[in-house]
Amino acid sequence: MKITDTVHIDAPTERVFEIFCDLDSAAANLSGITKLELLEGSAQLNLGTKWRETRMFAGKEATEEMWVTSYEQDSSYEVDAESRGTHYRSTYQFTPSHGGTRVDYRFTMTPLTFGARVMSVVGLLFLGVMKKALLQDLQQLKTACETATK
């Protein structure tokens, strides 16, 4: 399963990248996060940063461990997670555009086990809920970037 989106943010790429990578402010910037615990590395994302994130999803609390697997300052990063036999990857690409920043986002979910493949069919029922939550995150980060002190 894949979810993609693009958002234009009226803020410089360096500031947008910094806010997207700031784990210390993530819970304040993203209403879906109820708890975030840094496990390894810096709270300002970098290669190898690992954290545990708790969110409300479909009326239930869900906690996942995530880590940065690719990182290029002010340009892009990837975050991976594995849970219940499924590999998740979120990719963020930042490009200067029209006096602001274009953010391209891609989320992929890949079942790794037979059980996860079976459950992925059921997961299609939650595709709309998942897409709505991910796109809400992008919009809330856009707001945080555009209202941040210049």
Side-chain angles (χ1 to χ4, degrees):
M1 173 174 51
K2 292 181 185 176
I3 297 171
T4 60
D5 197 22
T6 299
V7 63
H8 183 271
I9 300 175
D10 291 320
T13 302
E14 296 78 16
R15 180 165 19 129
V16 172
F17 190 84
E18 180 182 354
I19 289 172
F20 269 67
C21 292
D22 183 4
L23 289 180
D24 280 338
S25 299
N29 290 334
L30 301 170
S31 63
I33 296 176
T34 58
K35 183 179 177 187
L36 194 142
E37 176 187 359
L38 185 63
L39 301 175
E40 293 177 26
S42 165
Q44 190 65 29
L45 290 186
N46 209 323
L47 191 61
T49 299
K50 186 175 185 178
W51 69 98
R52 184 175 298 122
E53 185 176 293
T54 302
R55 291 176 171 258
M56 291 301 291
F57 182 74
K60 295 186 178 185
E61 201 169 71
T63 301
E64 303 295 342
E65 287 188 11
M66 301 177 213
W67 57 94
V68 178
T69 55
S70 174
Y71 180 92
E72 187 175 335
Q73 180 70 42
D74 297 331
S75 179
S76 66
Y77 67 90
E78 289 183 346
V79 174
D80 286 22
E82 285 189 15
S83 179
R84 298 172 199 83
T86 301
H87 180 257
Y88 304 93
R89 175 169 287 159
S90 294
T91 303
Y92 298 85
Q93 183 78 39
F94 303 83
T95 309
S97 174
H98 304 289
T101 304
R102 174 186 163 137
V103 180
D104 293 298
Y105 173 74
R106 184 176 69 235
F107 173 82
T108 58
M109 209 171 87
T110 308
L112 303 173
T113 65
F114 176 75
R117 283 190 283 280
V118 170
M119 290 306 295
S120 69
V121 174
V122 175
L124 290 174
L125 298 173
F126 291 99
L127 180 60
V129 173
M130 184 176 294
K131 184 173 184 173
K132 182 179 177 183
L134 293 171
L135 299 181
Q136 177 180 309
D137 283 358
L138 281 178
Q139 288 303 310
Q140 289 179 348
L141 285 167
K142 172 183 169 69
T143 299
C145 292
E146 291 178 346
T147 59
T149 305
K150 296 180 181 182

